[in-house]
Amino acid sequence: MHTSTPSFPTDARFAELLKEDNPQIRIGLIGAKPMVDPEGSLKATAAIDFVCREEFDFTCQDVAAGLPLADIRGLSYRDTTGRVLHNLPRATIENMDELPFVAPSTSAT
């Protein structure tokens, strides 16, 4: 879910409602708030499982691919005991053309 500092309390509550409805769901946050305050974002509610720091495009792709959270750079997460862990940072994206796309695109010829 995308969040920001002003919307964070509402987004955190929405995450809690999602978890109540489906306890197995994995909820992660992206946006300015978790980028600058990953620990505080995770400690705000147990409903948030992870947050993406820095540039999140490849971090989200790794989560979606099913990589273990412990192996994903640029990620902060809560482990099975509830402890907040911070992985190594992800390198800055130098070539924006390498960013992953959500859906394939076609170009007209």
Side-chain angles (χ1 to χ4, degrees):
M1 294 175 14
H2 187 275
T3 190
S4 64
T5 301
S7 69
F8 184 80
T10 303
D11 296 334
R13 180 64 184 133
F14 183 62
E16 291 169 351
L17 293 170
L18 288 171
K19 280 279 191 182
E20 287 174 19
D21 189 51
N22 181 357
Q24 301 305 313
I25 193 171
R26 186 183 272 183
I27 299 175
L29 297 179
I30 61 169
K33 166 74 171 153
M35 182 172 51
V36 298
D37 185 19
E39 183 130 355
S41 298
L42 284 163
K43 288 185 174 180
T45 176
I48 300 168
D49 299 298
F50 65 90
V51 299
C52 300
R53 306 183 321 265
E54 299 102 19
E55 299 178 61
F56 57 81
D57 300 274
F58 288 108
T59 305
C60 288
Q61 186 179 45
D62 289 347
V63 171
L67 290 164
L69 297 184
D71 297 342
I72 301 174
R73 289 181 172 259
L75 195 77
S76 295
Y77 67 100
R78 185 185 327 283
D79 70 8
T80 56
T81 68
R83 187 176 55 164
V84 173
L85 302 171
H86 305 283
N87 294 350
L88 293 172
R90 185 171 288 278
T92 302
I93 298 170
E94 299 290 331
N95 180 358
M96 294 300 188
D97 290 335
E98 294 176 353
L99 287 171
F101 288 97
V102 175
S105 62
T106 59
S107 58
T109 54

